[in-house]
Amino acid sequence: MPPMPSNTGGGGMRAPSAFDKWKMGAMLGGSVGLIMGFLFGGFNIMRYGAGPSGPLRTLVQYMLGSGVTFGYFLLHSA
């Protein structure tokens, strides 16, 4: 039996562009950084206290700092 014709329009699958890789690295790094910041920040708040900023603001600072850092490094490694 002959193979079935494909309906891909002749294009097939393409490799991701440089911008797509850049976006993927930034999103992956940012999400990993947010999770790590949540874990590390939560641990530090429980261990040392929140300080004058309060627990929520301190946790957000940890999360944003980690997210930006991880996102930056994975952005440039893609």
Side-chain angles (χ1 to χ4, degrees), residues 3-18:
M4 296 290 291
S6 64
N7 292 332
T8 60
M13 294 199 51
R14 295 183 184 171
S17 68

Side-chain angles (χ1 to χ4, degrees), residues 3 8 11 16 23 26 29-30 32 36 39 46 49 60-61 63 65-69 71-72 75 77:
T8 60
K23 284 192 310 185
V32 167
M36 292 300 294
L39 294 173
M46 287 189 293
V60 167
Q61 286 175 345
M63 290 174 69
S66 295
V68 168
T69 303
Y72 177 78
L75 171 110
S77 69

Side-chain angles (χ1 to χ4, degrees), residues 21-78:
K21 290 180 184 179
W22 184 79
K23 284 192 310 185
M24 180 73 94
M27 289 173 49
L28 181 66
S31 58
V32 167
L34 285 175
I35 292 168
M36 292 300 294
F38 178 77
L39 294 173
F40 184 68
F43 177 75
N44 277 341
I45 289 171
M46 287 189 293
R47 187 167 181 191
Y48 300 114
S53 298
L56 186 61
R57 186 170 181 171
T58 303
L59 185 62
V60 167
Q61 286 175 345
Y62 275 109
M63 290 174 69
L64 288 178
S66 295
V68 168
T69 303
F70 273 87
Y72 177 78
F73 285 116
L74 280 179
L75 171 110
H76 288 288
S77 69

